[in-house]
Amino acid sequence: MVYAEYAWLIPILPIIGLLLVALLGKKTPEGGGYFAVGGIAASCFLGVMVALEYLTGGSSEPVSGTMTWLQLNSTLKLEMGYYIDSLSAVMLIVVTILCTLILVYSLGYMHEEGERKRRYYVEISLFVVGMEGLVVASNYLEMFVFWEIMGLCSYLLIGFWYYKPSAAAAAKKAFLVTRIGDILFMIGIISIFASFGTLNYRDLFTHNFIAQPVDMTLLGVGLFCVFGGAVGKSAQFPLHDWLPDAMEGPTTVSALIHAATMVKAGVYLVARSFPLMVHTPDVLLIVAAIGGFTALFAATMALNNPNIKRVLAYSTISQLGYMFLALGAGGYMIATANLSEAAAEMGNAGYMAGMFHLLNHAFFKALLFLSAGAVIHAVHTEDMRLMGGLSKKLKITSFVMLIGALSIAGIPPLSGFWSKDEVLAAVYNAGSANIWFYLLYIMGIVTAFLTAFYMFRLWFMTFKGEGKEATQHAHEAPRSMTVPLIILAIFAFGTGFILMGPDGGLPAVIRTVNLDGHLIAGETLGLGWIEKLFTEWQTWLSIVVAFSGVGLAYMAYFKKSISVDRFATGGSKKVYDLLLARYGFPRAYDWVGMKVVYGFSRAIDFFDRTVIDGVVNVISRFAVSGSGVLRKVQTGVVQTYAIVIVSALSVILILMYLLGGLR
Amino acid sequence: MIPQEYFLALASILFVIGAYGVLTRKNAIVVLMCIELMLNAANINFVTFAAFRNDPTGQVFALFSIAIAAAEVAVGLAILLNLQKTQDTINLEDIKLLRW
């Protein structure tokens, strides 16, 4: 292990870049952007080397190193350090590569920002620090620290154009909504600490539940709260509404939040807690149900939104729902497997599918966002109704975005197809353990159809049809933007194929959880598995669904043989408006904020002003009036004091004489 | 030989007269003089016990006491002088700046 020992350096390197930007940014070109890119590229190199070394090392033992942070008493202590296992190794690859590509793209995209560039590069470097630290952290508390750093940076970056009221409001909303999740996460951490007396992954994941039983109710509540943290960070129902608003930030920030960092942190958290969660099937059922519902729920809102970035935002929420669905289904299978090898194997497949989808989604969603950024860069609007016919002017962008759209729609053989199919298969298999998973499977299939439809609606509206006024002067983006796009397109096209790599490829390495919640080595999937995949009816169903979604979008937005306008009028107008109003969620948030929270605060305020202040006032009034009486004693005349002293002394002496003290 | 009680009675009478003066007179100079009386009552006690117990320590103390009383009078008169300058009075009932 040459590199793994230096894993703790991965989040440190961008900090060095950050400091250089802050100190020298004014005097260097691009506001010091090259320092930020350099720092993140260095951590990318180290991160990829650490991950490859670990994944090819053949050992399934996690590599970790810790130092004491706080010694609470003789036995309890909090530590800091790094923890590399197959999960964090895969996350490292995804996060560091994507962050580097997005930063390179930023050099072109943020070129015209002027003085504010320095602030941008400092904040985005800190953002990357947060994500990388979160991935390599060795315990929950350390993870929480980086989790909060990321929360702060998301606030700063979403509100980057803070002079726009909408951006300032979006930043505030993102911060406050994710805060609800953060509080839950904190409660979860405390519960885990109360259950096990440690927060270190190394100790938690090797905990022997038979030798040292823990309070399962407390653990269940704790893990539910941990999932609550993931819900906030990953924008799942009902804390999803901040993510579409977060589109107010620069597109590079959106890409970073959606593809590599922030929302992936929530999924990572659940995957990280997986060895604990397999002991609490109820929590996993909730995870799957929230994920499945969110997937469908968010997909419907993407159907008619005219804003190119918001459609992508809803698709992110929807795809994250898939990941939670897969994790929940897989974990539920393991939790209820009753030591059956086959069921546990299927459960492992669910875990693998969730992480595999995370990896694929990271690449194709970064591609889609950065392509959307290139489009916005060219036409200076985000409204798709003002776009059209751009494929002639933005040849590279339209082509790479087509790859991204095909991938997310689940058209074989692009990456999205493999992982989405794995997810759905895992959910279908979990149906044998609990009937509700069949319902979630149906929701997943419907979501797949909707995804294919709205992605191609987006693509056709943007790149096909007739050019509009806004598209007259469109031109292709500079090379620092197109090169990352092409690299990402290759990833988005190809990451599915690692499934067929040696020894079952990367996803097989991710499958780590066995029945006891201990870590085991990956097993070989082999090519026979692919053959099996294409003989199952579920696979063909998802392919047919994906193609029909694309076909419907083609008919409606390219051939125009189906009029979409009539959905916006007449009987279905209500549904149309409901979707545009995001099911009234922003208003519900405002209502909760204004009526419930503000009303509660008013009640507290009333209590504070009358009861608390009242008691304090009575006490102080008593003291004031009492002192008004007592101060009359202080006459200021020397002789009065002298009389008091003399008479008191006399009394004392007489008493001493009478009581026999003067003998 | 005059008995010891006579000396002690004289000292007590002197002390009480002094104390009465301190507590009742309004003129600060008179109060200062009364304090001298009380001090001298104490001195009489010192020398009385020294003589009756054949112990010279009491006489030494009386000498110290007289010396310190001289210093005290000097300081006290200086204070009274300043009082007269700033407050225009040495009547103790009028000097009550430190009350509520």
Side-chain angles (χ1 to χ4, degrees):
Chain A
M1 291 289 162
V2 185
Y3 294 101
E5 282 175 42
Y6 298 101
W8 54 273
L9 262 179
I10 294 169
I12 306 287
L13 288 168
I15 292 182
I16 298 170
L18 180 162
L19 291 175
L20 286 173
V21 176
L23 295 174
L24 306 172
K26 265 188 185 155
K27 296 183 187 111
T28 43
E30 294 299 329
Y34 293 106
F35 291 125
V37 173
I40 289 166
S43 76
C44 172
F45 171 76
L46 183 59
V48 169
M49 291 314 282
V50 167
L52 288 181
E53 184 184 57
Y54 180 82
L55 292 176
T56 56
S59 161
S60 63
E61 283 295 309
V63 182
S64 76
T66 53
M67 57 180 234
T68 305
W69 180 11
L70 287 174
Q71 188 82 42
L72 298 178
N73 60 26
S74 56
T75 51
L76 296 180
K77 61 179 178 179
L78 299 174
E79 293 184 323
M80 273 183 122
Y82 61 93
Y83 181 91
I84 305 292
D85 64 357
S86 53
L87 175 63
S88 43
V90 171
M91 283 298 283
L92 268 181
I93 294 178
V94 175
V95 168
T96 56
I97 291 180
L98 277 174
C99 289
T100 311
L101 290 174
I102 291 170
L103 255 284
V104 171
Y105 179 96
S106 295
L107 290 175
Y109 191 79
M110 301 302 282
H111 182 67
E112 286 150 27
E113 277 300 319
E115 254 310 280
R116 280 191 295 274
K117 267 187 289 198
R118 197 158 64 108
R119 188 159 62 84
Y120 171 81
Y121 286 115
V122 168
E123 288 171 2
I124 210 152
S125 295
L126 190 60
F127 201 13
V128 175
V129 170
M131 189 62 193
E132 292 180 348
L134 186 141
V135 171
V136 299
S138 73
N139 62 55
Y140 277 110
L141 191 66
E142 195 183 343
M143 186 178 186
F144 187 68
V145 170
F146 288 108
W147 179 278
E148 290 296 314
I149 289 177
M150 220 161 34
L152 167 71
C153 291
S154 68
Y155 169 76
L156 291 173
L157 285 168
I158 292 167
F160 184 70
W161 291 313
Y162 52 82
Y163 46 82
K164 282 200 306 192
S166 58
K172 239 185 307 183
K173 189 173 191 176
F175 195 67
L176 289 175
V177 173
T178 51
R179 189 108 315 238
I180 298 171
D182 294 350
I183 291 167
L184 286 173
F185 185 21
M186 200 148 69
I187 297 171
I189 290 176
I190 294 167
S191 308
I192 290 173
F193 195 67
S195 299
F196 296 97
T198 179
L199 291 172
N200 281 350
Y201 301 144
R202 198 187 43 216
D203 304 330
L204 289 175
F205 299 161
T206 54
H207 186 85
N208 190 333
F209 280 84
I210 298 156
Q212 288 165 285
V214 296
D215 183 350
M216 284 325 245
T217 320
L218 180 64
L219 183 62
V221 171
L223 289 173
F224 176 73
C225 288
V226 166
F227 174 61
V231 166
K233 211 66 157 180
S234 293
Q236 296 295 290
F237 176 86
L239 300 180
H240 61 274
D241 207 63
W242 65 270
L243 197 61
D245 283 357
M247 295 298 107
E248 291 293 341
T251 305
T252 46
V253 173
S254 306
L256 202 59
I257 287 179
H258 286 250
T261 64
M262 192 80 181
V263 296
K264 294 294 160 65
V267 182
Y268 176 73
L269 175 62
V270 171
R272 184 88 281 177
S273 313
F274 203 69
L276 295 178
M277 283 192 174
V278 292
H279 296 282
T280 53
D282 296 342
V283 174
L284 286 160
L285 192 59
I286 296 171
V287 171
I290 297 257
F293 178 70
T294 309
L296 181 59
F297 178 73
T300 55
M301 286 190 282
L303 289 178
N304 64 350
N305 205 299
N307 184 311
I308 184 167
K309 281 173 78 182
R310 289 196 181 213
V311 170
L312 292 176
Y314 286 121
S315 83
T316 300
I317 301 175
S318 172
Q319 299 297 312
L320 289 166
Y322 266 140
M323 295 171 211
F324 283 115
L325 180 56
L327 287 174
Y332 194 81
M333 281 297 278
I334 296 176
T336 57
N338 290 329
L339 301 172
S340 142
E341 276 291 333
E345 185 62 21
M346 280 190 244
N348 258 338
Y351 176 75
M352 183 205 91
M355 296 321 293
F356 190 34
H357 199 55
L358 184 151
L359 184 142
N360 290 339
H361 175 260
F363 286 111
F364 63 63
K365 188 46 67 70
L367 172 64
L368 286 169
F369 260 110
L370 295 184
S371 312
V375 170
I376 295 164
H377 193 78
V379 300
H380 299 289
T381 177
E382 297 182 4
D383 194 334
M384 288 192 290
R385 289 170 297 196
L386 303 177
M387 300 176 190
L390 282 171
S391 63
K392 291 185 198 97
K393 291 187 169 154
L394 307 176
K395 283 202 175 64
I396 302 174
T397 308
S398 75
F399 179 68
V400 294
M401 198 156 187
L402 180 63
I403 291 180
L406 285 171
S407 185
I408 193 174
I411 305 291
L414 282 86
S415 63
F417 162 72
W418 303 103
S419 56
K420 185 178 287 186
D421 200 69
E422 281 287 278
V423 169
L424 291 173
V427 179
Y428 184 81
N429 288 336
S432 62
N434 191 319
I435 199 83
W436 286 104
F437 282 105
Y438 286 124
L439 177 66
L440 292 172
Y441 174 73
I442 294 167
M443 288 165 105
I445 287 286
V446 176
T447 307
F449 171 74
L450 296 178
T451 308
F453 172 74
Y454 67 66
M455 282 317 297
F456 276 85
R457 166 178 176 270
L458 183 154
W459 197 82
F460 285 128
M461 277 180 90
T462 309
F463 294 108
K464 292 293 169 190
E466 286 129 40
K468 310 267 165 63
E469 198 179 330
T471 63
Q472 290 295 312
H473 307 291
H475 56 89
E476 187 62 280
R479 193 164 298 163
S480 67
M481 288 165 71
T482 50
V483 170
L485 282 179
I486 292 165
I487 297 173
L488 280 171
I490 294 166
F491 274 116
F493 182 82
T495 45
F497 294 115
I498 52 179
L499 207 59
M500 289 158 246
D503 293 340
L506 198 52
V509 179
I510 317 174
R511 42 171 49 203
T512 48
V513 185
N514 77 354
L515 293 179
D516 297 318
H518 294 186
L519 299 160
I520 56 163
E523 285 164 46
T524 309
L525 275 173
L527 285 172
W529 174 80
I530 307 282
E531 202 182 302
K532 183 166 160 281
L533 184 71
F534 281 102
T535 53
E536 279 173 349
W537 62 267
Q538 289 100 327
T539 313
W540 292 106
L541 178 62
S542 70
I543 293 174
V544 167
V545 155
F547 272 108
S548 54
V550 176
L552 186 64
Y554 177 80
M555 306 258 272
Y557 291 97
F558 187 69
K559 297 279 276 186
K560 312 253 186 214
S561 52
I562 300 172
S563 167
V564 277
D565 292 337
R566 71 195 158 116
F567 290 107
T569 53
S572 57
K573 186 180 185 328
K574 272 191 182 146
V575 180
Y576 192 88
D577 290 343
L578 184 67
L579 292 179
L580 272 188
R582 311 195 216 160
Y583 293 102
F585 259 86
R587 282 179 65 194
Y589 278 24
D590 288 348
W591 185 85
V592 168
M594 285 308 293
K595 292 281 156 66
V596 180
V597 179
Y598 188 61
F600 183 67
S601 313
R602 288 261 302 258
I604 297 278
D605 182 58
F606 178 77
F607 182 80
D608 187 56
R609 278 177 201 279
T610 53
V611 180
I612 308 270
D613 284 6
V615 170
V616 172
N617 285 343
V618 165
I619 292 172
S620 72
R621 219 166 283 151
F622 178 77
V624 167
S625 54
S627 67
V629 173
L630 286 177
R631 70 179 184 176
K632 300 287 182 204
V633 172
Q634 304 290 341
T635 57
V637 181
V638 179
Q639 284 166 325
T640 319
Y641 299 120
I643 288 168
V644 171
I645 292 168
V646 169
S647 44
L649 187 66
S650 311
V651 169
I652 290 168
L653 286 173
I654 290 164
L655 280 176
M656 281 172 79
Y657 178 73
L658 290 180
L659 299 175
L662 286 180
R663 292 280 175 271
Chain B
M1 182 92 184
I2 305 168
Q4 193 183 7
E5 287 80 5
Y6 284 30
F7 293 97
L8 295 181
L10 172 67
S12 303
I13 292 163
L14 267 181
F15 186 87
V16 171
I17 291 170
Y20 177 78
V22 167
L23 295 181
T24 54
R25 305 311 293 247
K26 305 301 170 201
N27 190 322
I29 293 181
V30 179
V31 169
L32 211 56
M33 287 157 69
C34 292
I35 291 171
E36 276 324 289
L37 273 184
M38 291 162 74
L39 273 170
N40 282 320
N43 287 343
I44 289 170
N45 271 2
F46 275 132
V47 289
T48 308
F49 285 117
F52 279 86
R53 307 181 76 171
N54 288 326
D55 181 356
T57 318
Q59 301 198 8
V60 175
F61 260 105
L63 283 174
F64 270 109
S65 171
I66 290 164
I68 288 167
E72 178 245 305
V73 168
V75 174
L77 285 175
I79 291 171
L80 294 183
L81 209 60
N82 275 314
L83 261 181
Q84 177 67 37
K85 271 187 192 164
T86 55
Q87 306 290 317
D88 242 0
T89 176
I90 52 168
N91 187 343
L92 286 179
E93 285 202 328
D94 296 338
I95 303 164
K96 44 189 178 183
L97 289 172
L98 281 180
R99 66 170 181 174
W100 72 88

